[in-house]
Amino acid sequence: MAEVIYNRVALIGLGLIAGSMSLAMRRAGVAGEITGYARSQATRDTAREINLVDRVCDTAVEAVEGADLVVLAVPVGAMGPVMQEIEATLKPGAVVTDVGSVKASVLEAVMPHIPEGVEFVGTHPMAGTEHSGPRSGFAELFDNRWCLVVPPEGADERAVKRLESFWAALGANTERMDPEHHDTVCAVVSHVPHLIAYTMVGVADDLRRVTDQEVIKFSAAGFRDFTRIAASDPTMWRDVFLTNKDAALEILGRFTEELFALQRAIRTGDGDHLHDYFTRTRAIRRGII
Ligand code: NAD
């Protein structure tokens, strides 16, 4: 059995990420007791039924009582309100982390509620699936995936290092980043691709000349692969775009410019432009395993 890193871990939110963390913590033996809370009664009932954590609590306050590590695993827009609810109950010496997909706005929302003697360090496991909810987690989710660690200025180095070793025990490789850079990187590699996948499904739905049946029947030709992530949770993604506005709009602007250039090349029959573009981008894509 590996060494226990935190005696008590509280998970707030019991969906894909928190569920996977609980299962990965048990696999690694790095937590003494794991408590959990989710806002919906149905989620708490399911978590109890499948024994997702050691103790499911009916309030966030009860879950964080005596916790050494508190993990905020709720949609990004709920991080501030949750912190406000639990701040008075956090024990001195506790570490709070979040797993949100956006960092600058989470820091802004959370930091005013971090009491003296409690540390906050943001993290973002770059791992996920299009599934959500308490039944969607699995212990291997973080294996060999990146977990970006985003400490606020002046964070306690020992607390940051301990959290890094915790994520390493869950299977992830860690790298530190500042919040603004994190948000730009994630807009490119995750946020805007999700937006485009959602859009592609919307376009298919709008086309009256292509029936729903045809989309389902013939979707092997690109559509299915390309739009898998459009089955992701709408609340999570609404919050990502509302809280990572600047980086998302910047990347979306660049994407639109490229798309217009390709549109012009198609209209004018500029095969060289299309061929050069596809050759360059294929080489980049082939470099990504
Ligand atoms: P999920 O929908 O599977 O789970 C979210 C959980 O939060 C649910 O249990 C829900 O009941 C609970 N919840 C929602 N609002 C709440 C509130 N106000 N108080 C208490 N509980 C509340 O979502 P997930 O995929 O586990 O995402 C959780 C966080 O992780 C999000 O911030 C998301 O941005 C981030 N994240 C997601 C992925 C991914 O691919 N899904 C990857 C990395 C990070």
Side-chain angles (χ1 to χ4, degrees), residues 223-243:
F223 189 85
R224 188 183 292 267
D225 282 353
F226 186 77
T227 58
R228 178 186 58 78
I229 53 178
S232 303
D233 184 65
T235 306
M236 169 185 160
W237 287 100
R238 176 201 63 192
D239 284 7
V240 166
F241 288 105
L242 291 180
T243 56

Side-chain angles (χ1 to χ4, degrees), residues 94-174:
V95 173
V96 179
T97 189
D98 77 297
V99 292
S101 307
V102 179
K103 282 288 162 271
S105 68
V106 166
L107 266 182
E108 215 171 281
V110 160
M111 286 313 281
H113 304 291
I114 300 294
E116 192 73 30
V118 171
E119 285 291 326
F120 177 80
V121 182
T123 54
H124 179 195
M126 301 289 287
T129 71
E130 67 277 28
H131 303 296
S132 55
R135 291 186 193 275
S136 58
F138 54 100
E140 300 77 23
L141 179 66
F142 311 112
D143 286 351
N144 298 314
R145 307 300 295 270
W146 286 106
C147 179
L148 301 177
V149 177
V150 184
E153 264 181 43
D156 177 55
E157 185 56 25
R158 274 191 322 168
V160 181
K161 283 221 162 86
R162 200 158 175 218
L163 194 58
E164 286 171 335
S165 63
F166 170 78
W167 275 108
L170 267 48
N173 305 310
T174 59

Side-chain angles (χ1 to χ4, degrees), residues 13-17 39 43 73-76 78 99-101 124-125 127-128 132-133 236:
L14 290 169
L16 169 70
I17 300 296
R39 190 179 47 175
T43 302
V74 295
V76 172
V99 292
S101 307
H124 179 195
S132 55
M236 169 185 160

